[in-house]
Amino acid sequence: MVKNAFISIISQEQKEENKGSVEFQVFSFTNKIRRLTSHLKLHRKDYLSQRGLRKILGKRQRLLAYLSKKNRVRYKELIGQLDIREPKTR
């Protein structure tokens, strides 16, 4: 459902060209995170999946930190589109 909404925002030409863009990577990590969280609701003791989820969360957090430093406007738009909370600052 979210995937279709985001892909409709990005045109087909841009999608093929920008698979390495920060926005596309964050989007794909978000999809993986949502799938893993729904899996872990059923299988609470699947520790390998929990570890994988933590690794993906860390990767997404680093990408979002990079994007917020480089382009704050694109960062805010992406967070709004994907319905992600802003990370806590230290």
Side-chain angles (χ1 to χ4, degrees):
M1 181 167 62
V2 174
K3 183 177 180 180
N4 293 336
F6 189 72
I7 290 178
S8 66
I9 294 169
I10 298 176
S11 69
Q12 289 295 89
E13 299 166 4
Q14 288 178 337
K15 189 182 111 183
E16 290 301 320
E17 293 174 4
N18 295 328
K19 286 189 178 182
S21 70
V22 176
E23 289 91 350
F24 190 84
Q25 289 180 39
V26 170
F27 167 69
S28 64
F29 285 145
T30 302
N31 281 339
K32 287 180 184 179
I33 289 167
R34 289 186 176 142
R35 275 189 279 134
L36 277 173
T37 52
S38 65
H39 169 78
L40 287 171
K41 286 179 184 175
L42 294 174
H43 309 282
R44 293 190 186 275
K45 293 190 177 184
D46 188 355
Y47 298 117
L48 290 175
S49 294
Q50 288 178 12
R51 180 175 184 261
L53 177 63
R54 279 189 235 109
K55 288 182 82 163
I56 293 171
L57 283 169
K59 287 180 184 179
R60 185 179 76 174
Q61 184 178 11
R62 286 192 300 274
L63 279 172
L64 286 172
Y66 167 79
L67 187 61
S68 71
K69 287 178 191 173
K70 291 293 179 183
N71 193 339
R72 193 70 177 173
V73 174
R74 283 175 40 198
Y75 170 76
K76 289 288 187 181
E77 288 176 2
L78 184 64
I79 291 231
Q81 287 174 351
L82 295 179
D83 195 29
I84 301 173
R85 290 182 291 174
E86 280 200 50
K88 297 178 183 176
T89 56
R90 292 183 181 180

